[in-house]
């Protein structure tokens, strides 16, 4: 296996229920399984398996990986904001993730550049009610 880190993000077909992040009662088992798959079982990703990355990953499948001085990857789980998301399953994860993203982007004192990876692009799968 090559010693190259690979950073992933969740897509609409990556969870048990299409277009939805896992429901709260399945979240711990699901994210733990994927954490092991993406980080523990891929040796090149182990240096990025920090305590804070694991904490946010277990909250809602999002994480930060500092790949070099001044460069970091932010993997955002956009399933939390998808219109196809089952609204009954929506917990605090989406808001937690927004606060985490805002904190990362606003609180960098070292001029860190961010590569933000998502599956559903910003503004995608949103209905708009217009008069025209």
């Amino acid at each position: 296996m090559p010693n190259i880190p690979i950073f992933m993000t969740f897509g609409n077909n990556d969870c048990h229920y299409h277009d939805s992040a896992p429901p709260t009662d399945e979240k711990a088992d699901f994210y733990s399984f994927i954490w092991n798959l993406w980080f523990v079982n891929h040796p090149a990703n182990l240096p990025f398996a920090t305590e804070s990355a694991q904490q946010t990953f277990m909250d809602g499948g999002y994480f930060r990986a500092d790949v070099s001085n001044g460069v970091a990857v932010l993997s955002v789980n956009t399933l939390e904001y998808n219109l196809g998301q089952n609204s009954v399953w929506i917990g605090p994860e989406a808001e937690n993730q927004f606060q985490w993203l805002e904190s990362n982007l606003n609180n960098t004192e070292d001029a860190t550049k961010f590569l933000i990876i998502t599956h559903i692009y910003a503004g995608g799968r949103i209905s708009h009610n217009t008069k025209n």
Side-chain angles (χ1 to χ4, degrees):
M1 177 177 295
N3 194 27
I4 299 170
I6 300 171
F7 301 109
M8 291 150 281
T9 194
F10 286 98
N12 57 306
N13 294 309
D14 295 333
C15 296
H16 183 79
Y17 305 100
H18 184 71
D19 284 339
S20 293
T24 303
D25 62 339
E26 297 177 18
K27 181 173 91 164
D29 287 340
F30 176 76
Y31 287 131
S32 179
F33 173 79
I34 300 296
W35 174 263
N36 287 326
L37 185 67
W38 288 3
F39 288 93
V40 177
N41 295 335
H42 185 61
N45 283 2
L46 276 175
F48 307 101
T50 64
E51 185 178 330
S52 84
Q54 187 174 22
Q55 181 181 9
T56 58
F57 195 90
M58 295 303 294
D59 178 58
Y62 55 99
F63 64 92
R64 174 180 172 154
D66 292 297
V67 295
S68 68
N69 282 339
V71 178
V73 172
L74 300 178
S75 178
V76 178
N77 183 358
T78 51
L79 287 177
E80 295 289 347
Y81 314 108
N82 182 18
L83 282 180
Q85 167 81 353
N86 187 328
S87 62
V88 174
W89 299 340
I90 296 175
E93 297 86 1
E95 181 60 30
N96 294 347
Q97 185 173 216
F98 264 131
Q99 290 173 1
W100 166 84
L101 183 60
E102 183 177 51
S103 175
N104 274 282
L105 296 176
N106 289 332
N107 296 325
T108 181
E109 297 176 7
D110 60 359
T112 298
K113 304 286 189 243
F114 295 104
L115 173 63
I116 300 173
I117 58 175
T118 67
H119 177 69
I120 303 167
Y121 59 90
R125 296 190 185 179
I126 295 174
S127 63
H128 299 278
N129 294 323
T130 62
K131 293 181 182 180
N132 297 328

